[in-house]
Amino acid sequence: MNPDAAAPAATLPTIPVPVAHDLSMLGLFLQADIVVKLVMVLLVLASVACWAIMIEKAVTLGKLHREVRRLTKFVRGDLKGEDASQGEGLSAQVLRAGMAEWQEGRDEDESRAEFRQRIEHAMRAVLGRLIRRAEPGLPILATTGSVAPFVGLFGTVWGIMNSFQGIAASNDTSLAVVAPGIAEALFATAIGLVAAIPAVMAYNRFAIRIGRLRTEGNAASHDFAAALSRRQGARRRHAAAE
């Protein structure tokens, strides 16, 4: 045996190179399971719809606020010289409804309180119908605010289940293997919260504003109906004196 013969080279163990994971928001979405992707897309669409509703409601309630303030100022006499009954705004329609009932006159067997209630009821009916037009879309905000976190949680649970199945298949529990799957799963919950929190805040804000506008408009209707009923009584006394 030749002692100078080269000994066979020792075989070195192969060290696996960890796969780099993209932990950006786009990367987490692209690497997620199909079910988690569907959950994320659904939540993003719900969030976009909620923001569209919030912008529309902000504009609509802003117009209603100006109309109700105009009605209140007219009833208080702050808009003297300005015909607030012209046009198709809320204040004009409410005032025309009250004037129409007043012009029909008071029945012989109708008390002054009943006459005032009839005028006020006509005005409140128009006011309520116009304010209800601002309510569509609010149920979507309420539903998104209450359901979106649970939808995101479902995506998280599903993603973690898949992550644990991958860990069991690879027999590797290192943080580099576990972290990306869990991050993808938790991203679904984060999107759910991003969709839910503005929706809840907007719903509460808009519901309070609508309630205040309805209360302020009803108060103005009550005052205007009372003024018209007194004017009707003065007209009757004047006619009787003649």
Side-chain angles (χ1 to χ4, degrees), residues 20-31:
H21 290 272
D22 185 3
L23 298 181
S24 64
M25 290 188 292
L26 180 60
L28 292 175
F29 172 77
L30 295 177
Q31 297 167 15

Side-chain angles (χ1 to χ4, degrees), residues 27-48:
L28 292 175
F29 172 77
L30 295 177
Q31 297 167 15
D33 181 77
I34 182 62
V35 175
V36 182
K37 284 182 180 179
L38 291 176
V39 169
M40 292 180 182
V41 171
L42 179 63
L43 292 174
V44 170
L45 292 177
S47 180
V48 171

Side-chain angles (χ1 to χ4, degrees), residues 80-100:
K80 290 181 179 179
E82 180 178 348
D83 192 1
S85 63
Q86 299 297 323
E88 295 300 325
L90 180 144
S91 60
Q93 295 189 46
V94 171
L95 291 174
R96 285 200 297 266
M99 292 297 297

Side-chain angles (χ1 to χ4, degrees), residues 168-189:
S170 62
N171 293 323
D172 190 352
T173 59
S174 63
L175 186 60
V177 175
V178 177
I182 295 179
E184 296 164 9
L186 293 177
F187 187 46
T189 297

Side-chain angles (χ1 to χ4, degrees), residues 67-89:
E67 287 292 329
V68 171
R69 283 298 177 88
R70 183 179 181 184
L71 174 63
T72 302
K73 290 181 179 180
F74 179 82
V75 173
R76 293 176 179 175
D78 297 336
L79 291 180
K80 290 181 179 179
E82 180 178 348
D83 192 1
S85 63
Q86 299 297 323
E88 295 300 325

Side-chain angles (χ1 to χ4, degrees), residues 96-153:
R96 285 200 297 266
M99 292 297 297
E101 288 293 329
W102 178 75
Q103 290 174 356
E104 287 185 5
R106 175 178 160 187
D107 297 336
E108 294 296 334
D109 57 346
E110 188 178 34
S111 66
R112 176 179 169 182
E114 292 173 341
F115 182 53
R116 177 188 59 76
Q117 290 176 358
R118 177 156 60 89
I119 297 174
E120 184 177 349
H121 176 74
M123 298 177 68
R124 288 192 175 192
V126 175
L127 177 69
R129 173 172 54 83
L130 295 178
I131 290 182
R132 280 194 298 272
R133 292 181 181 178
E135 294 179 352
L138 293 183
I140 296 178
L141 296 179
T143 302
T144 302
S146 59
V147 174
F150 296 100
V151 175
L153 182 61

